[in-house]
PDB file of all heavy atoms in Angstrom:
ATOM      1  N   PRO S1234      -3.470   0.151  -8.534  1.00 95.00           N
ATOM      2  CA  PRO S1234      -3.128   0.212  -7.125  1.00 95.00           C
ATOM      3  C   PRO S1234      -3.852  -0.873  -6.296  1.00 95.00           C
ATOM      4  O   PRO S1234      -4.931  -1.321  -6.647  1.00 95.00           O
ATOM      5  CB  PRO S1234      -3.678   1.605  -6.722  1.00 95.00           C
ATOM      6  CG  PRO S1234      -4.831   1.798  -7.619  1.00 95.00           C
ATOM      7  CD  PRO S1234      -4.391   1.198  -8.945  1.00 95.00           C
ATOM      8  N   THR S1235      -3.186  -1.250  -5.215  1.00 93.00           N
ATOM      9  CA  THR S1235      -3.814  -2.172  -4.248  1.00 93.00           C
ATOM     10  C   THR S1235      -4.250  -1.360  -3.022  1.00 93.00           C
ATOM     11  O   THR S1235      -3.863  -0.221  -2.840  1.00 93.00           O
ATOM     12  CB  THR S1235      -2.850  -3.328  -3.902  1.00 93.00           C
ATOM     13  OG1 THR S1235      -3.595  -4.326  -3.266  1.00 93.00           O
ATOM     14  CG2 THR S1235      -1.701  -2.871  -3.023  1.00 93.00           C
ATOM     15  N   THR S1236      -5.015  -2.013  -2.190  1.00 94.00           N
ATOM     16  CA  THR S1236      -5.567  -1.367  -1.000  1.00 94.00           C
ATOM     17  C   THR S1236      -4.398  -1.033  -0.004  1.00 94.00           C
ATOM     18  O   THR S1236      -3.627  -1.886   0.401  1.00 94.00           O
ATOM     19  CB  THR S1236      -6.562  -2.301  -0.307  1.00 94.00           C
ATOM     20  OG1 THR S1236      -7.601  -2.576  -1.272  1.00 94.00           O
ATOM     21  CG2 THR S1236      -7.174  -1.656   0.913  1.00 94.00           C
ATOM     22  N   SER S1237      -4.326   0.244   0.311  1.00 96.00           N
ATOM     23  CA  SER S1237      -3.202   0.759   1.115  1.00 96.00           C
ATOM     24  C   SER S1237      -3.208   0.298   2.552  1.00 96.00           C
ATOM     25  O   SER S1237      -2.126   0.245   3.188  1.00 96.00           O
ATOM     26  CB  SER S1237      -3.204   2.286   1.053  1.00 96.00           C
ATOM     27  OG  SER S1237      -3.126   2.709  -0.321  1.00 96.00           O
ATOM     28  N   SER S1238      -4.342   0.041   3.122  1.00 96.00           N
ATOM     29  CA  SER S1238      -4.413  -0.298   4.557  1.00 96.00           C
ATOM     30  C   SER S1238      -3.555  -1.532   4.897  1.00 96.00           C
ATOM     31  O   SER S1238      -3.148  -1.658   6.047  1.00 96.00           O
ATOM     32  CB  SER S1238      -5.856  -0.549   4.986  1.00 96.00           C
ATOM     33  OG  SER S1238      -6.427  -1.628   4.257  1.00 96.00           O
ATOM     34  N   ARG S1239      -3.253  -2.379   3.920  1.00 95.00           N
ATOM     35  CA  ARG S1239      -2.385  -3.544   4.209  1.00 95.00           C
ATOM     36  C   ARG S1239      -0.968  -3.144   4.583  1.00 95.00           C
ATOM     37  O   ARG S1239      -0.266  -3.879   5.211  1.00 95.00           O
ATOM     38  CB  ARG S1239      -2.399  -4.503   3.035  1.00 95.00           C
ATOM     39  CG  ARG S1239      -3.801  -5.034   2.732  1.00 95.00           C
ATOM     40  CD  ARG S1239      -3.851  -6.250   1.913  1.00 95.00           C
ATOM     41  NE  ARG S1239      -2.831  -6.369   0.893  1.00 95.00           N
ATOM     42  CZ  ARG S1239      -3.026  -6.425  -0.433  1.00 95.00           C
ATOM     43  NH1 ARG S1239      -4.251  -6.322  -0.897  1.00 95.00           N
ATOM     44  NH2 ARG S1239      -2.069  -6.608  -1.242  1.00 95.00           N
ATOM     45  N   MET S1240      -0.599  -1.947   4.203  1.00 97.00           N
ATOM     46  CA  MET S1240       0.775  -1.459   4.511  1.00 97.00           C
ATOM     47  C   MET S1240       0.834  -0.595   5.760  1.00 97.00           C
ATOM     48  O   MET S1240       1.849  -0.169   6.227  1.00 97.00           O
ATOM     49  CB  MET S1240       1.349  -0.649   3.328  1.00 97.00           C
ATOM     50  CG  MET S1240       1.990  -1.478   2.184  1.00 97.00           C
ATOM     51  SD  MET S1240       0.972  -2.777   1.442  1.00 97.00           S
ATOM     52  CE  MET S1240      -0.197  -1.899   0.475  1.00 97.00           C
ATOM     53  N   ASP S1241      -0.337  -0.319   6.340  1.00 98.00           N
ATOM     54  CA  ASP S1241      -0.429   0.661   7.435  1.00 98.00           C
ATOM     55  C   ASP S1241       0.365   0.266   8.670  1.00 98.00           C
ATOM     56  O   ASP S1241       0.838   1.119   9.419  1.00 98.00           O
ATOM     57  CB  ASP S1241      -1.864   0.949   7.795  1.00 98.00           C
ATOM     58  CG  ASP S1241      -2.552   1.890   6.802  1.00 98.00           C
ATOM     59  OD1 ASP S1241      -1.885   2.289   5.836  1.00 98.00           O
ATOM     60  OD2 ASP S1241      -3.713   2.194   7.011  1.00 98.00           O
ATOM     61  N   VAL S1242       0.510  -1.006   8.957  1.00 97.00           N
ATOM     62  CA  VAL S1242       1.289  -1.452  10.115  1.00 97.00           C
ATOM     63  C   VAL S1242       2.772  -1.101   9.965  1.00 97.00           C
ATOM     64  O   VAL S1242       3.471  -0.891  10.947  1.00 97.00           O
ATOM     65  CB  VAL S1242       1.061  -2.928  10.431  1.00 97.00           C
ATOM     66  CG1 VAL S1242       1.676  -3.809   9.358  1.00 97.00           C
ATOM     67  CG2 VAL S1242       1.575  -3.288  11.825  1.00 97.00           C
ATOM     68  N   TYR S1243       3.238  -0.987   8.734  1.00 98.00           N
ATOM     69  CA  TYR S1243       4.676  -0.741   8.430  1.00 98.00           C
ATOM     70  C   TYR S1243       4.952   0.709   8.038  1.00 98.00           C
ATOM     71  O   TYR S1243       6.059   1.196   8.205  1.00 98.00           O
ATOM     72  CB  TYR S1243       5.137  -1.657   7.320  1.00 98.00           C
ATOM     73  CG  TYR S1243       4.809  -3.106   7.526  1.00 98.00           C
ATOM     74  CD1 TYR S1243       3.849  -3.773   6.735  1.00 98.00           C
ATOM     75  CD2 TYR S1243       5.451  -3.864   8.511  1.00 98.00           C
ATOM     76  CE1 TYR S1243       3.563  -5.086   6.945  1.00 98.00           C
ATOM     77  CE2 TYR S1243       5.142  -5.196   8.736  1.00 98.00           C
ATOM     78  CZ  TYR S1243       4.177  -5.796   7.946  1.00 98.00           C
ATOM     79  OH  TYR S1243       3.890  -7.131   8.151  1.00 98.00           O
ATOM     80  N   ALA S1244       3.965   1.339   7.465  1.00 98.00           N
ATOM     81  CA  ALA S1244       4.182   2.666   6.844  1.00 98.00           C
ATOM     82  C   ALA S1244       4.759   3.730   7.784  1.00 98.00           C
ATOM     83  O   ALA S1244       5.670   4.469   7.378  1.00 98.00           O
ATOM     84  CB  ALA S1244       2.906   3.160   6.178  1.00 98.00           C
ATOM     85  N   PRO S1245       4.287   3.871   9.048  1.00 98.00           N
ATOM     86  CA  PRO S1245       4.830   4.948   9.875  1.00 98.00           C
ATOM     87  C   PRO S1245       6.348   4.873  10.027  1.00 98.00           C
ATOM     88  O   PRO S1245       7.023   5.917   9.965  1.00 98.00           O
ATOM     89  CB  PRO S1245       4.109   4.748  11.199  1.00 98.00           C
ATOM     90  CG  PRO S1245       2.775   4.135  10.826  1.00 98.00           C
ATOM     91  CD  PRO S1245       3.154   3.210   9.704  1.00 98.00           C
ATOM     92  N   GLU S1246       6.892   3.685  10.210  1.00 97.00           N
ATOM     93  CA  GLU S1246       8.334   3.583  10.380  1.00 97.00           C
ATOM     94  C   GLU S1246       9.055   3.980   9.088  1.00 97.00           C
ATOM     95  O   GLU S1246      10.119   4.604   9.150  1.00 97.00           O
ATOM     96  CB  GLU S1246       8.697   2.122  10.792  1.00 97.00           C
ATOM     97  CG  GLU S1246      10.125   2.066  11.260  1.00 97.00           C
ATOM     98  CD  GLU S1246      10.419   0.809  12.091  1.00 97.00           C
ATOM     99  OE1 GLU S1246       9.474   0.057  12.461  1.00 97.00           O
ATOM    100  OE2 GLU S1246      11.617   0.578  12.343  1.00 97.00           O
ATOM    101  N   LEU S1247       8.545   3.608   7.944  1.00 97.00           N
ATOM    102  CA  LEU S1247       9.169   3.969   6.690  1.00 97.00           C
ATOM    103  C   LEU S1247       9.079   5.463   6.433  1.00 97.00           C
ATOM    104  O   LEU S1247       9.982   6.095   5.889  1.00 97.00           O
ATOM    105  CB  LEU S1247       8.558   3.170   5.516  1.00 97.00           C
ATOM    106  CG  LEU S1247       8.765   1.657   5.630  1.00 97.00           C
ATOM    107  CD1 LEU S1247       8.119   0.942   4.436  1.00 97.00           C
ATOM    108  CD2 LEU S1247      10.220   1.300   5.716  1.00 97.00           C
ATOM    109  N   ILE S1248       7.943   6.060   6.783  1.00 98.00           N
ATOM    110  CA  ILE S1248       7.751   7.503   6.651  1.00 98.00           C
ATOM    111  C   ILE S1248       8.771   8.219   7.487  1.00 98.00           C
ATOM    112  O   ILE S1248       9.403   9.196   7.045  1.00 98.00           O
ATOM    113  CB  ILE S1248       6.310   7.923   7.023  1.00 98.00           C
ATOM    114  CG1 ILE S1248       5.315   7.380   6.011  1.00 98.00           C
ATOM    115  CG2 ILE S1248       6.218   9.441   7.148  1.00 98.00           C
ATOM    116  CD1 ILE S1248       3.871   7.453   6.442  1.00 98.00           C
ATOM    117  N   ARG S1249       8.999   7.739   8.698  1.00 96.00           N
ATOM    118  CA  ARG S1249       9.997   8.380   9.581  1.00 96.00           C
ATOM    119  C   ARG S1249      11.434   8.215   9.014  1.00 96.00           C
ATOM    120  O   ARG S1249      12.330   8.971   9.408  1.00 96.00           O
ATOM    121  CB  ARG S1249       9.888   7.853  11.006  1.00 96.00           C
ATOM    122  CG  ARG S1249       8.655   8.397  11.745  1.00 96.00           C
ATOM    123  CD  ARG S1249       8.630   8.073  13.215  1.00 96.00           C
ATOM    124  NE  ARG S1249       8.095   6.739  13.498  1.00 96.00           N
ATOM    125  CZ  ARG S1249       6.822   6.433  13.571  1.00 96.00           C
ATOM    126  NH1 ARG S1249       5.892   7.361  13.382  1.00 96.00           N
ATOM    127  NH2 ARG S1249       6.426   5.232  13.883  1.00 96.00           N
ATOM    128  N   CYS S1250      11.624   7.255   8.132  1.00 95.00           N
ATOM    129  CA  CYS S1250      12.949   7.049   7.500  1.00 95.00           C
ATOM    130  C   CYS S1250      13.095   7.853   6.220  1.00 95.00           C
ATOM    131  O   CYS S1250      14.097   7.709   5.495  1.00 95.00           O
ATOM    132  CB  CYS S1250      13.136   5.573   7.189  1.00 95.00           C
ATOM    133  SG  CYS S1250      13.459   4.616   8.653  1.00 95.00           S
ATOM    134  N   GLY S1251      12.116   8.670   5.863  1.00 96.00           N
ATOM    135  CA  GLY S1251      12.254   9.537   4.694  1.00 96.00           C
ATOM    136  C   GLY S1251      11.277   9.286   3.580  1.00 96.00           C
ATOM    137  O   GLY S1251      11.249  10.037   2.600  1.00 96.00           O
ATOM    138  N   LEU S1252      10.518   8.195   3.633  1.00 98.00           N
ATOM    139  CA  LEU S1252       9.501   7.938   2.600  1.00 98.00           C
ATOM    140  C   LEU S1252       8.591   9.152   2.573  1.00 98.00           C
ATOM    141  O   LEU S1252       7.982   9.547   3.547  1.00 98.00           O
ATOM    142  CB  LEU S1252       8.691   6.692   2.952  1.00 98.00           C
ATOM    143  CG  LEU S1252       7.530   6.339   1.987  1.00 98.00           C
ATOM    144  CD1 LEU S1252       8.058   6.060   0.567  1.00 98.00           C
ATOM    145  CD2 LEU S1252       6.754   5.166   2.534  1.00 98.00           C
ATOM    146  N   ARG S1253       8.494   9.812   1.393  1.00 98.00           N
ATOM    147  CA  ARG S1253       7.747  11.044   1.318  1.00 98.00           C
ATOM    148  C   ARG S1253       6.402  10.897   0.587  1.00 98.00           C
ATOM    149  O   ARG S1253       5.538  11.752   0.698  1.00 98.00           O
ATOM    150  CB  ARG S1253       8.604  12.110   0.669  1.00 98.00           C
ATOM    151  CG  ARG S1253       7.963  13.467   0.831  1.00 98.00           C
ATOM    152  CD  ARG S1253       8.884  14.656   0.968  1.00 98.00           C
ATOM    153  NE  ARG S1253       9.864  14.507   2.008  1.00 98.00           N
ATOM    154  CZ  ARG S1253      11.186  14.432   1.752  1.00 98.00           C
ATOM    155  NH1 ARG S1253      11.659  14.443   0.563  1.00 98.00           N
ATOM    156  NH2 ARG S1253      12.024  14.313   2.764  1.00 98.00           N
ATOM    157  N   GLY S1254       6.245   9.842  -0.186  1.00 98.00           N
ATOM    158  CA  GLY S1254       4.964   9.665  -0.945  1.00 98.00           C
ATOM    159  C   GLY S1254       4.573   8.230  -1.078  1.00 98.00           C
ATOM    160  O   GLY S1254       5.447   7.349  -1.141  1.00 98.00           O
ATOM    161  N   MET S1255       3.289   8.028  -1.021  1.00 98.00           N
ATOM    162  CA  MET S1255       2.729   6.658  -1.197  1.00 98.00           C
ATOM    163  C   MET S1255       1.588   6.814  -2.192  1.00 98.00           C
ATOM    164  O   MET S1255       0.848   7.784  -2.163  1.00 98.00           O
ATOM    165  CB  MET S1255       2.199   6.125   0.136  1.00 98.00           C
ATOM    166  CG  MET S1255       3.268   5.998   1.197  1.00 98.00           C
ATOM    167  SD  MET S1255       2.639   6.105   2.889  1.00 98.00           S
ATOM    168  CE  MET S1255       2.307   7.882   3.020  1.00 98.00           C
ATOM    169  N   ILE S1256       1.462   5.808  -3.074  1.00 98.00           N
ATOM    170  CA  ILE S1256       0.374   5.780  -4.044  1.00 98.00           C
ATOM    171  C   ILE S1256      -0.426   4.485  -3.806  1.00 98.00           C
ATOM    172  O   ILE S1256       0.148   3.408  -3.798  1.00 98.00           O
ATOM    173  CB  ILE S1256       0.889   5.777  -5.511  1.00 98.00           C
ATOM    174  CG1 ILE S1256       1.837   6.954  -5.739  1.00 98.00           C
ATOM    175  CG2 ILE S1256      -0.295   5.825  -6.494  1.00 98.00           C
ATOM    176  CD1 ILE S1256       2.575   6.893  -7.094  1.00 98.00           C
ATOM    177  N   GLY S1257      -1.722   4.611  -3.677  1.00 97.00           N
ATOM    178  CA  GLY S1257      -2.570   3.448  -3.456  1.00 97.00           C
ATOM    179  C   GLY S1257      -4.039   3.809  -3.613  1.00 97.00           C
ATOM    180  O   GLY S1257      -4.370   4.740  -4.318  1.00 97.00           O
ATOM    181  N   LYS S1258      -4.834   3.072  -2.855  1.00 96.00           N
ATOM    182  CA  LYS S1258      -6.274   3.406  -2.840  1.00 96.00           C
ATOM    183  C   LYS S1258      -6.790   3.024  -1.465  1.00 96.00           C
ATOM    184  O   LYS S1258      -6.271   2.109  -0.813  1.00 96.00           O
ATOM    185  CB  LYS S1258      -7.031   2.642  -3.948  1.00 96.00           C
ATOM    186  CG  LYS S1258      -7.005   1.154  -3.794  1.00 96.00           C
ATOM    187  CD  LYS S1258      -7.777   0.500  -4.916  1.00 96.00           C
ATOM    188  CE  LYS S1258      -7.812  -1.027  -4.701  1.00 96.00           C
ATOM    189  NZ  LYS S1258      -8.532  -1.717  -5.747  1.00 96.00           N
ATOM    190  N   GLY S1259      -7.791   3.734  -1.032  1.00 94.00           N
ATOM    191  CA  GLY S1259      -8.438   3.455   0.264  1.00 94.00           C
ATOM    192  C   GLY S1259      -7.908   4.330   1.367  1.00 94.00           C
ATOM    193  O   GLY S1259      -6.908   5.031   1.256  1.00 94.00           O
ATOM    194  N   LYS S1260      -8.613   4.266   2.501  1.00 95.00           N
ATOM    195  CA  LYS S1260      -8.302   5.091   3.660  1.00 95.00           C
ATOM    196  C   LYS S1260      -7.044   4.581   4.356  1.00 95.00           C
ATOM    197  O   LYS S1260      -6.610   3.454   4.163  1.00 95.00           O
ATOM    198  CB  LYS S1260      -9.458   5.033   4.648  1.00 95.00           C
ATOM    199  CG  LYS S1260     -10.720   5.679   4.104  1.00 95.00           C
ATOM    200  CD  LYS S1260     -11.827   5.635   5.124  1.00 95.00           C
ATOM    201  CE  LYS S1260     -13.092   6.300   4.578  1.00 95.00           C
ATOM    202  NZ  LYS S1260     -14.152   6.324   5.577  1.00 95.00           N
ATOM    203  N   ARG S1261      -6.472   5.469   5.191  1.00 97.00           N
ATOM    204  CA  ARG S1261      -5.272   5.186   5.987  1.00 97.00           C
ATOM    205  C   ARG S1261      -5.628   5.317   7.466  1.00 97.00           C
ATOM    206  O   ARG S1261      -6.539   6.057   7.856  1.00 97.00           O
ATOM    207  CB  ARG S1261      -4.132   6.133   5.646  1.00 97.00           C
ATOM    208  CG  ARG S1261      -3.727   6.243   4.179  1.00 97.00           C
ATOM    209  CD  ARG S1261      -3.458   4.907   3.488  1.00 97.00           C
ATOM    210  NE  ARG S1261      -2.328   4.171   4.024  1.00 97.00           N
ATOM    211  CZ  ARG S1261      -1.106   4.243   3.561  1.00 97.00           C
ATOM    212  NH1 ARG S1261      -0.814   5.032   2.560  1.00 97.00           N
ATOM    213  NH2 ARG S1261      -0.128   3.464   4.094  1.00 97.00           N
ATOM    214  N   THR S1262      -4.839   4.641   8.308  1.00 97.00           N
ATOM    215  CA  THR S1262      -5.082   4.715   9.757  1.00 97.00           C
ATOM    216  C   THR S1262      -4.585   6.043  10.318  1.00 97.00           C
ATOM    217  O   THR S1262      -3.771   6.751   9.677  1.00 97.00           O
ATOM    218  CB  THR S1262      -4.325   3.588  10.494  1.00 97.00           C
ATOM    219  OG1 THR S1262      -2.929   3.776  10.313  1.00 97.00           O
ATOM    220  CG2 THR S1262      -4.766   2.228  10.003  1.00 97.00           C
ATOM    221  N   SER S1263      -5.055   6.367  11.496  1.00 97.00           N
ATOM    222  CA  SER S1263      -4.616   7.606  12.155  1.00 97.00           C
ATOM    223  C   SER S1263      -3.122   7.606  12.433  1.00 97.00           C
ATOM    224  O   SER S1263      -2.475   8.657  12.361  1.00 97.00           O
ATOM    225  CB  SER S1263      -5.401   7.834  13.437  1.00 97.00           C
ATOM    226  OG  SER S1263      -5.241   6.782  14.354  1.00 97.00           O
ATOM    227  N   GLU S1264      -2.546   6.430  12.671  1.00 98.00           N
ATOM    228  CA  GLU S1264      -1.086   6.324  12.914  1.00 98.00           C
ATOM    229  C   GLU S1264      -0.304   6.733  11.655  1.00 98.00           C
ATOM    230  O   GLU S1264       0.731   7.397  11.757  1.00 98.00           O
ATOM    231  CB  GLU S1264      -0.695   4.907  13.332  1.00 98.00           C
ATOM    232  CG  GLU S1264      -1.215   4.494  14.689  1.00 98.00           C
ATOM    233  CD  GLU S1264      -2.664   4.001  14.695  1.00 98.00           C
ATOM    234  OE1 GLU S1264      -3.255   3.821  13.609  1.00 98.00           O
ATOM    235  OE2 GLU S1264      -3.208   3.821  15.796  1.00 98.00           O
ATOM    236  N   VAL S1265      -0.762   6.305  10.509  1.00 98.00           N
ATOM    237  CA  VAL S1265      -0.116   6.689   9.255  1.00 98.00           C
ATOM    238  C   VAL S1265      -0.245   8.171   9.056  1.00 98.00           C
ATOM    239  O   VAL S1265       0.721   8.865   8.724  1.00 98.00           O
ATOM    240  CB  VAL S1265      -0.685   5.901   8.050  1.00 98.00           C
ATOM    241  CG1 VAL S1265      -0.127   6.458   6.740  1.00 98.00           C
ATOM    242  CG2 VAL S1265      -0.382   4.418   8.184  1.00 98.00           C
ATOM    243  N   VAL S1266      -1.447   8.727   9.232  1.00 98.00           N
ATOM    244  CA  VAL S1266      -1.679  10.170   9.040  1.00 98.00           C
ATOM    245  C   VAL S1266      -0.803  10.987   9.965  1.00 98.00           C
ATOM    246  O   VAL S1266      -0.207  11.995   9.565  1.00 98.00           O
ATOM    247  CB  VAL S1266      -3.147  10.527   9.162  1.00 98.00           C
ATOM    248  CG1 VAL S1266      -3.378  12.025   9.061  1.00 98.00           C
ATOM    249  CG2 VAL S1266      -4.000   9.771   8.093  1.00 98.00           C
ATOM    250  N   GLU S1267      -0.687  10.558  11.220  1.00 98.00           N
ATOM    251  CA  GLU S1267       0.156  11.294  12.185  1.00 98.00           C
ATOM    252  C   GLU S1267       1.616  11.270  11.743  1.00 98.00           C
ATOM    253  O   GLU S1267       2.322  12.295  11.828  1.00 98.00           O
ATOM    254  CB  GLU S1267      -0.007  10.734  13.592  1.00 98.00           C
ATOM    255  CG  GLU S1267      -1.273  11.135  14.263  1.00 98.00           C
ATOM    256  CD  GLU S1267      -1.467  12.639  14.315  1.00 98.00           C
ATOM    257  OE1 GLU S1267      -0.534  13.392  14.697  1.00 98.00           O
ATOM    258  OE2 GLU S1267      -2.567  13.089  13.926  1.00 98.00           O
ATOM    259  N   ALA S1268       2.111  10.128  11.271  1.00 98.00           N
ATOM    260  CA  ALA S1268       3.469  10.058  10.805  1.00 98.00           C
ATOM    261  C   ALA S1268       3.676  10.937   9.568  1.00 98.00           C
ATOM    262  O   ALA S1268       4.710  11.590   9.433  1.00 98.00           O
ATOM    263  CB  ALA S1268       3.827   8.603  10.437  1.00 98.00           C
ATOM    264  N   MET S1269       2.671  11.026   8.722  1.00 98.00           N
ATOM    265  CA  MET S1269       2.726  11.887   7.528  1.00 98.00           C
ATOM    266  C   MET S1269       2.824  13.349   7.970  1.00 98.00           C
ATOM    267  O   MET S1269       3.632  14.120   7.443  1.00 98.00           O
ATOM    268  CB  MET S1269       1.488  11.693   6.661  1.00 98.00           C
ATOM    269  CG  MET S1269       1.460  10.346   5.945  1.00 98.00           C
ATOM    270  SD  MET S1269      -0.128  10.054   5.091  1.00 98.00           S
ATOM    271  CE  MET S1269      -0.133  11.424   3.969  1.00 98.00           C
ATOM    272  N   LYS S1270       2.026  13.778   8.903  1.00 97.00           N
ATOM    273  CA  LYS S1270       2.048  15.142   9.425  1.00 97.00           C
ATOM    274  C   LYS S1270       3.423  15.484  10.048  1.00 97.00           C
ATOM    275  O   LYS S1270       3.950  16.561   9.805  1.00 97.00           O
ATOM    276  CB  LYS S1270       0.903  15.374  10.394  1.00 97.00           C
ATOM    277  CG  LYS S1270      -0.466  15.428   9.707  1.00 97.00           C
ATOM    278  CD  LYS S1270      -1.638  15.332  10.660  1.00 97.00           C
ATOM    279  CE  LYS S1270      -1.619  16.133  11.921  1.00 97.00           C
ATOM    280  NZ  LYS S1270      -2.858  16.002  12.697  1.00 97.00           N
ATOM    281  N   GLU S1271       3.952  14.555  10.824  1.00 97.00           N
ATOM    282  CA  GLU S1271       5.257  14.773  11.468  1.00 97.00           C
ATOM    283  C   GLU S1271       6.382  14.912  10.444  1.00 97.00           C
ATOM    284  O   GLU S1271       7.315  15.676  10.636  1.00 97.00           O
ATOM    285  CB  GLU S1271       5.593  13.602  12.401  1.00 97.00           C
ATOM    286  CG  GLU S1271       4.727  13.522  13.608  1.00 97.00           C
ATOM    287  CD  GLU S1271       4.893  12.178  14.376  1.00 97.00           C
ATOM    288  OE1 GLU S1271       5.819  11.401  14.039  1.00 97.00           O
ATOM    289  OE2 GLU S1271       4.060  11.901  15.236  1.00 97.00           O
ATOM    290  N   SER S1272       6.282  14.152   9.343  1.00 97.00           N
ATOM    291  CA  SER S1272       7.393  14.125   8.380  1.00 97.00           C
ATOM    292  C   SER S1272       7.132  14.861   7.075  1.00 97.00           C
ATOM    293  O   SER S1272       8.017  14.907   6.212  1.00 97.00           O
ATOM    294  CB  SER S1272       7.711  12.642   8.070  1.00 97.00           C
ATOM    295  OG  SER S1272       8.076  11.959   9.243  1.00 97.00           O
ATOM    296  N   GLY S1273       5.929  15.342   6.865  1.00 97.00           N
ATOM    297  CA  GLY S1273       5.611  16.039   5.643  1.00 97.00           C
ATOM    298  C   GLY S1273       5.435  15.131   4.450  1.00 97.00           C
ATOM    299  O   GLY S1273       5.844  15.447   3.319  1.00 97.00           O
TER     300      GLY S1273
END
């Protein structure tokens, strides 16, 4: 795995489009976590 934070600027939009799982390493931003909570 690569460091996940590099995808954090893009991840919320993809999560809202149905992306349900991500595999990586490292912490995520609060924006990503909020999108995850909204979309499951």
Side-chain angles (χ1 to χ4, degrees):
T1235 195
T1236 303
S1237 302
S1238 62
R1239 298 197 328 242
M1240 277 53 75
D1241 283 0
V1242 69
Y1243 309 110
E1246 192 161 351
L1247 297 180
I1248 292 167
R1249 286 190 276 278
C1250 287
L1252 176 63
R1253 193 148 306 114
M1255 300 154 284
I1256 306 170
K1258 64 179 182 179
K1260 295 182 180 183
R1261 306 308 297 267
T1262 63
S1263 59
E1264 293 82 9
V1265 172
V1266 176
E1267 283 306 310
M1269 290 173 60
K1270 288 167 43 178
E1271 291 168 10
S1272 301

